[in-house]
Amino acid sequence: MEKLEHIGIAVKNLDESNRVFARLLGRAHYKIEEVAGEAVRTSFFEVSGVKIELLEATAPTSAIARFIEKRGEGIHHLAFEVSDIKASIQAFSEKGFSMINTEPKAGADNKLIAFMHPKSAQGVLVELCQEKR
Ligand code: ZN
């Protein structure tokens, strides 16, 4: 892993949560982006080089909607930057980590992403991400 790239937080209402986080962090979000493939609307804040990604479901079938139904709002995933996502997926699989995505897919913020199953990381959903080049 290169660095902690962002922390993903599942929220029910993005606009309301943007206001709460702006008051908490002392700065506004710097962008909002919809990822149709994941059925989410996201917003981004940055604190000392680490991003906070708020995620709101845009459909009841969204993974974020299902997460909130089961566990309520809160931290959803930790995303680590990798330099070569395909190589990382393969390397982690070979080390016995269970990858939810064995192929990279398009995420927000110009990233290729792949999720690792929380059972592989003590209940934490881990996202690998790589800047699209
Ligand atoms: Zn993420």
Side-chain angles (χ1 to χ4, degrees):
M1 310 288 201
E2 308 288 322
K3 69 164 208 170
L4 179 62
E5 214 278 336
H6 66 267
I7 299 168
I9 298 175
V11 302
K12 284 182 185 163
N13 181 307
L14 195 66
D15 298 329
E16 196 180 300
S17 305
N18 279 339
R19 285 194 289 276
V20 171
F21 274 79
R23 284 175 56 217
L24 177 70
L25 302 174
R27 73 207 69 184
H29 62 279
Y30 64 90
K31 73 168 166 179
I32 289 188
E33 189 182 338
E34 187 159 344
V35 185
E38 297 289 301
V40 292
R41 202 160 69 99
T42 66
S43 69
F44 285 87
F45 294 79
E46 187 162 347
V47 182
S48 64
V50 178
K51 296 167 188 165
I52 308 285
E53 176 189 38
L54 303 184
L55 301 125
E56 173 197 67
T58 56
T61 50
S62 160
I64 294 301
R66 294 199 309 266
F67 177 87
I68 288 176
E69 217 169 85
K70 264 194 246 166
R71 298 172 63 171
E73 293 180 291
I75 295 183
H76 179 256
H77 63 271
L78 297 183
F80 294 93
E81 189 173 289
V82 296
S83 51
D84 182 337
I85 194 164
K86 282 197 167 183
S88 292
I89 290 170
Q90 180 158 3
F92 281 115
S93 300
E94 282 167 6
K95 285 183 207 166
F97 290 93
S98 169
M99 296 300 301
I100 295 171
N101 307 114
T102 52
E103 286 295 325
K105 58 181 182 171
D109 202 29
N110 195 41
K111 297 279 194 298
L112 292 172
I113 64 171
F115 285 103
M116 182 184 286
H117 200 284
K119 74 184 178 197
S120 284
Q122 317 305 117
V124 176
L125 177 62
V126 171
E127 174 189 321
L128 307 178
C129 64
Q130 179 209 304
E131 196 83 22
K132 273 190 216 163
R133 302 186 269 259

